[in-house]
Amino acid sequence: DTEVTQTPKHLVMGMTNKKSLKCEQHMGHRAMYWYKQKAKKPPELMFVYSYEKLSINESVPSRFSPECPNSSLLNLHLHALQPEDSALYLCASSQGRRSYNSPLHFGNGTRLTVT
Amino acid sequence: AQKITQTQPGMFVQEKEAVTLDCTYDTSDQSYGLFWYKQPSSGEMIFLIYQGSYDEQNATEGRYSLNFQKARKSANLVISASQLGDSAMYFCAMMRRDDKIIFGKGTRLHILP
Protein backbone atom coordinates (compact mmCIF):
# COMPACT_ATOMS: atom_id res chain seq x y z
CA ASP A 1 0.00 0.00 0.00
CA THR A 2 1.25 3.45 -0.93
CA GLU A 3 1.84 5.90 1.91
CA VAL A 4 0.97 8.83 -0.32
CA THR A 5 -2.70 8.90 -1.21
CA GLN A 6 -4.04 10.70 -4.25
CA THR A 7 -7.66 11.31 -5.14
CA PRO A 8 -9.38 10.94 -7.47
CA LYS A 9 -7.79 8.08 -9.36
CA HIS A 10 -9.35 9.19 -12.65
CA LEU A 11 -10.82 12.54 -13.64
CA VAL A 12 -12.54 13.67 -16.81
CA MET A 13 -13.24 17.37 -17.08
CA GLY A 14 -14.31 19.88 -19.68
CA MET A 15 -12.28 22.91 -20.58
CA THR A 16 -14.57 25.22 -18.63
CA ASN A 17 -14.66 23.13 -15.45
CA LYS A 18 -12.92 23.77 -12.15
CA LYS A 19 -11.64 20.72 -10.32
CA SER A 20 -9.03 19.85 -7.70
CA LEU A 21 -6.58 17.02 -7.23
CA LYS A 22 -5.78 16.02 -3.68
CA CYS A 23 -2.74 14.43 -2.10
CA GLU A 24 -2.13 13.34 1.49
CA GLN A 25 0.89 11.87 3.28
CA HIS A 26 1.38 10.87 6.91
CA MET A 27 5.09 10.13 6.89
CA GLY A 28 6.11 13.43 8.50
CA HIS A 29 7.70 14.57 5.27
CA ARG A 30 8.25 18.29 4.84
CA ALA A 31 8.61 18.51 1.07
CA MET A 32 5.76 17.76 -1.33
CA TYR A 33 5.79 17.73 -5.10
CA TRP A 34 3.51 17.77 -8.11
CA TYR A 35 4.72 16.07 -11.28
CA LYS A 36 3.03 15.77 -14.66
CA GLN A 37 3.71 12.71 -16.78
CA LYS A 38 2.74 12.19 -20.40
CA ALA A 39 2.68 8.69 -21.87
CA LYS A 40 6.13 7.15 -22.39
CA LYS A 41 7.87 10.20 -20.95
CA PRO A 42 9.57 10.84 -17.60
CA PRO A 43 7.76 12.81 -14.91
CA GLU A 44 8.12 16.57 -15.29
CA LEU A 45 8.37 18.65 -12.16
CA MET A 46 5.64 21.25 -11.72
CA PHE A 47 5.79 22.51 -8.12
CA VAL A 48 7.68 21.88 -4.90
CA TYR A 49 6.50 22.87 -1.44
CA SER A 50 9.10 22.86 1.30
CA TYR A 51 7.88 23.37 4.85
CA GLU A 52 4.49 24.43 3.45
CA LYS A 53 5.98 27.21 1.34
CA LEU A 54 6.14 27.12 -2.43
CA SER A 55 9.83 26.77 -3.21
CA ILE A 56 9.81 25.77 -6.88
CA ASN A 57 7.40 26.65 -9.68
CA GLU A 58 8.66 25.32 -12.99
CA SER A 59 6.98 28.06 -15.03
CA VAL A 60 3.67 26.23 -14.91
CA PRO A 61 0.68 28.00 -16.55
CA SER A 62 -1.60 29.79 -14.12
CA ARG A 63 -4.49 27.44 -14.95
CA PHE A 64 -2.71 25.11 -12.49
CA SER A 65 -2.78 26.47 -8.96
CA PRO A 66 -1.11 24.54 -6.12
CA GLU A 67 -2.03 24.82 -2.48
CA CYS A 68 -0.48 23.33 0.66
CA PRO A 69 -2.97 23.77 3.55
CA ASN A 70 -0.69 21.93 5.99
CA SER A 71 2.34 19.68 6.01
CA SER A 72 0.28 16.58 5.19
CA LEU A 73 -1.91 17.91 2.41
CA LEU A 74 -1.25 19.14 -1.09
CA ASN A 75 -3.87 20.23 -3.60
CA LEU A 76 -3.70 21.12 -7.27
CA HIS A 77 -6.55 23.35 -8.44
CA LEU A 78 -7.40 23.11 -12.11
CA HIS A 79 -9.26 25.71 -14.15
CA ALA A 80 -9.78 26.27 -17.86
CA LEU A 81 -7.50 23.41 -18.86
CA GLN A 82 -6.62 22.46 -22.41
CA PRO A 83 -6.80 18.98 -23.98
CA GLU A 84 -2.98 18.88 -24.02
CA ASP A 85 -3.06 19.00 -20.21
CA SER A 86 -4.39 15.44 -20.23
CA ALA A 87 -1.76 13.37 -18.40
CA LEU A 88 -0.96 11.40 -15.27
CA TYR A 89 -0.48 13.77 -12.33
CA LEU A 90 1.77 12.39 -9.64
CA CYS A 91 2.12 13.68 -6.12
CA ALA A 92 5.23 12.84 -4.10
CA SER A 93 6.79 13.65 -0.76
CA SER A 94 10.26 13.52 0.76
CA GLN A 95 11.97 14.52 3.98
CA GLY A 96 13.00 17.78 2.35
CA ARG A 97 15.72 20.32 3.16
CA ARG A 98 18.52 18.73 1.18
CA SER A 99 17.97 15.23 2.49
CA TYR A 100 19.87 13.52 -0.28
CA ASN A 101 19.18 10.10 1.15
CA SER A 102 15.44 10.66 1.22
CA PRO A 103 13.76 9.25 -1.87
CA LEU A 104 10.55 10.60 -3.27
CA HIS A 105 7.54 8.55 -2.23
CA PHE A 106 4.92 8.74 -4.94
CA GLY A 107 1.18 8.35 -4.87
CA ASN A 108 -0.56 6.23 -7.49
CA GLY A 109 -1.43 9.29 -9.52
CA THR A 110 -4.54 10.87 -10.99
CA ARG A 111 -5.16 10.14 -14.64
CA LEU A 112 -6.66 13.35 -16.01
CA THR A 113 -8.52 13.66 -19.30
CA VAL A 114 -9.54 17.09 -20.55
CA THR A 115 -12.31 17.03 -23.16
CA ALA B 1 23.40 21.98 -16.84
CA GLN B 2 22.49 19.11 -14.59
CA LYS B 3 21.00 16.14 -16.37
CA ILE B 4 20.47 12.39 -16.32
CA THR B 5 21.11 10.27 -19.39
CA GLN B 6 19.68 6.81 -19.98
CA THR B 7 20.89 5.58 -23.34
CA GLN B 8 18.80 2.39 -23.62
CA PRO B 9 15.22 3.19 -24.66
CA GLY B 10 14.29 -0.49 -24.55
CA MET B 11 15.78 -3.83 -23.54
CA PHE B 12 14.71 -7.45 -23.95
CA VAL B 13 16.11 -9.96 -21.46
CA GLN B 14 15.49 -13.64 -20.92
CA GLU B 15 13.90 -14.56 -17.59
CA LYS B 16 16.42 -15.47 -14.84
CA GLU B 17 19.25 -13.58 -16.53
CA ALA B 18 20.89 -10.56 -14.91
CA VAL B 19 20.32 -7.18 -16.53
CA THR B 20 22.17 -3.87 -16.29
CA LEU B 21 20.37 -0.59 -16.95
CA ASP B 22 22.70 2.31 -17.73
CA CYS B 23 22.56 5.76 -16.17
CA THR B 24 25.02 8.63 -16.40
CA TYR B 25 24.61 11.99 -14.77
CA ASP B 26 26.07 15.43 -14.99
CA THR B 27 26.33 17.76 -12.01
CA SER B 28 28.76 20.21 -10.48
CA ASP B 29 27.33 19.64 -7.00
CA GLN B 30 29.47 17.78 -4.48
CA SER B 31 26.45 16.48 -2.59
CA TYR B 32 23.66 14.70 -4.40
CA GLY B 33 21.57 11.56 -4.27
CA LEU B 34 20.88 9.06 -7.03
CA PHE B 35 17.74 6.94 -7.21
CA TRP B 36 16.15 4.30 -9.36
CA TYR B 37 12.41 3.98 -9.79
CA LYS B 38 10.28 1.31 -11.43
CA GLN B 39 7.04 2.21 -13.15
CA PRO B 40 4.80 -0.70 -14.21
CA SER B 41 2.09 -0.16 -16.79
CA SER B 42 -0.36 0.57 -13.95
CA GLY B 43 1.43 3.89 -13.44
CA GLU B 44 2.70 3.93 -9.87
CA MET B 45 6.32 4.97 -9.32
CA ILE B 46 8.09 2.49 -7.06
CA PHE B 47 11.33 3.45 -5.32
CA LEU B 48 13.97 0.74 -5.75
CA ILE B 49 17.36 1.89 -4.52
CA TYR B 50 19.39 4.93 -3.44
CA GLN B 51 23.07 5.91 -3.64
CA GLY B 52 24.53 8.98 -1.97
CA SER B 53 27.41 10.87 -3.53
CA TYR B 54 29.59 10.26 -0.47
CA ASP B 55 28.76 6.59 -0.08
CA GLU B 56 31.81 4.44 -0.74
CA GLN B 57 29.95 1.15 -0.92
CA ASN B 58 27.59 0.29 -3.75
CA ALA B 59 23.99 0.15 -2.60
CA THR B 60 22.11 -3.16 -2.61
CA GLU B 61 18.45 -3.95 -1.99
CA GLY B 62 17.53 -7.58 -2.50
CA ARG B 63 17.90 -8.39 -6.20
CA TYR B 64 18.77 -4.77 -6.99
CA SER B 65 22.25 -3.32 -6.79
CA LEU B 66 23.65 -0.02 -7.94
CA ASN B 67 27.03 0.04 -9.66
CA PHE B 68 28.25 3.51 -8.67
CA GLN B 69 31.33 4.88 -10.42
CA LYS B 70 31.67 8.44 -9.22
CA ALA B 71 34.63 9.44 -11.37
CA ARG B 72 32.75 8.31 -14.48
CA LYS B 73 29.47 9.80 -13.17
CA SER B 74 27.60 6.59 -13.73
CA ALA B 75 25.03 4.83 -11.54
CA ASN B 76 23.93 1.67 -13.31
CA LEU B 77 21.16 -0.52 -11.92
CA VAL B 78 21.79 -4.25 -11.87
CA ILE B 79 18.87 -6.64 -11.47
CA SER B 80 19.92 -10.20 -10.70
CA ALA B 81 17.84 -13.25 -11.66
CA SER B 82 15.23 -11.25 -13.57
CA GLN B 83 11.55 -12.17 -13.23
CA LEU B 84 8.54 -11.59 -15.47
CA GLY B 85 7.27 -9.04 -12.95
CA ASP B 86 10.36 -6.92 -13.58
CA SER B 87 8.92 -5.86 -16.94
CA ALA B 88 8.37 -2.13 -16.54
CA MET B 89 9.80 1.31 -17.25
CA TYR B 90 12.85 2.15 -15.15
CA PHE B 91 13.89 5.72 -14.36
CA CYS B 92 17.18 6.93 -13.00
CA ALA B 93 16.88 10.15 -10.98
CA MET B 94 19.07 12.64 -9.13
CA MET B 95 18.24 14.84 -6.19
CA ARG B 96 19.94 18.22 -6.08
CA ARG B 97 20.60 20.60 -3.22
CA ASP B 98 17.39 22.53 -3.86
CA ASP B 99 15.16 19.45 -3.32
CA LYS B 100 14.63 19.24 -7.06
CA ILE B 101 14.69 15.73 -8.45
CA ILE B 102 15.34 15.28 -12.15
CA PHE B 103 14.65 12.12 -14.11
CA GLY B 104 16.23 10.44 -17.10
CA LYS B 105 14.08 9.48 -20.08
CA GLY B 106 13.74 5.92 -18.86
CA THR B 107 14.44 2.41 -20.12
CA ARG B 108 11.59 0.07 -21.01
CA LEU B 109 12.58 -3.42 -19.81
CA HIS B 110 10.86 -6.49 -21.23
CA ILE B 111 11.49 -9.85 -19.55
CA LEU B 112 10.93 -12.79 -21.90
CA PRO B 113 9.65 -16.16 -20.60
Side-chain angles (χ1 to χ4, degrees):
Chain A
D1 288 340
T2 182
E3 294 178 82
V4 178
T5 304
Q6 284 187 249
T7 55
K9 200 168 181 177
H10 300 274
L11 179 63
V12 179
M13 61 185 289
M15 289 189 283
T16 58
N17 291 158
K18 283 185 183 181
K19 296 285 185 183
S20 297
L21 308 185
K22 297 186 184 302
C23 176
E24 189 169 6
Q25 58 91 9
H26 293 289
M27 293 180 284
H29 287 170
R30 302 314 299 265
M32 295 188 76
Y33 305 71
W34 280 114
Y35 281 86
K36 173 183 177 180
Q37 187 179 25
K38 301 285 266 186
K40 300 183 182 179
K41 297 288 186 183
E44 296 174 31
L45 183 64
M46 300 175 73
F47 303 104
V48 181
Y49 273 83
S50 180
Y51 288 76
E52 300 163 47
K53 291 192 185 327
L54 183 65
S55 60
I56 296 176
N57 176 344
E58 290 289 275
S59 303
V60 179
S62 60
R63 57 186 185 269
F64 295 92
S65 175
E67 178 195 21
C68 188
N70 60 55
S71 60
S72 300
L73 291 174
L74 185 66
N75 299 321
L76 185 64
H77 302 298
L78 314 172
H79 174 55
L81 294 193
Q82 304 296 311
E84 59 264 29
D85 296 323
S86 298
L88 180 68
Y89 287 83
L90 292 162
C91 173
S93 68
S94 73
Q95 288 180 5
R97 283 288 166 86
R98 304 175 189 177
S99 297
Y100 305 110
N101 62 345
S102 172
L104 286 180
H105 292 259
F106 282 88
N108 287 339
T110 294
R111 206 164 287 278
L112 174 68
T113 303
V114 182
T115 60
Chain B
Q2 296 173 318
K3 65 176 184 179
I4 298 280
T5 302
Q6 294 180 253
T7 58
Q8 306 150 310
M11 289 186 70
F12 289 84
V13 173
Q14 208 66 39
E15 190 180 9
K16 296 183 184 155
E17 289 184 354
V19 57
T20 298
L21 305 181
D22 295 340
C23 173
T24 58
Y25 59 94
D26 186 19
T27 182
S28 55
D29 289 347
Q30 296 300 309
S31 299
Y32 51 88
L34 296 159
F35 306 90
W36 277 92
Y37 286 87
K38 172 184 178 182
Q39 189 175 39
S41 55
S42 51
E44 72 267 33
M45 292 282 282
I46 303 166
F47 165 67
L48 296 177
I49 196 166
Y50 158 82
Q51 180 83 42
S53 57
Y54 293 112
D55 293 341
E56 295 186 354
Q57 302 276 349
N58 286 341
T60 60
E61 288 286 348
R63 292 187 299 114
Y64 304 108
S65 60
L66 201 152
N67 184 358
F68 181 49
Q69 298 186 43
K70 191 172 182 178
R72 300 175 70 176
K73 294 189 174 177
S74 75
N76 298 340
L77 177 70
V78 180
I79 306 174
S80 62
S82 57
Q83 302 170 357
L84 295 177
D86 294 332
S87 295
M89 186 72 119
Y90 289 80
F91 291 102
C92 180
M94 177 170 65
M95 176 179 274
R96 308 175 340 182
R97 284 177 297 168
D98 57 1
D99 289 337
K100 193 169 179 178
I101 292 191
I102 56 173
F103 288 84
K105 291 187 176 181
T107 296
R108 170 72 65 182
L109 178 63
H110 303 268
I111 305 298
L112 304 172

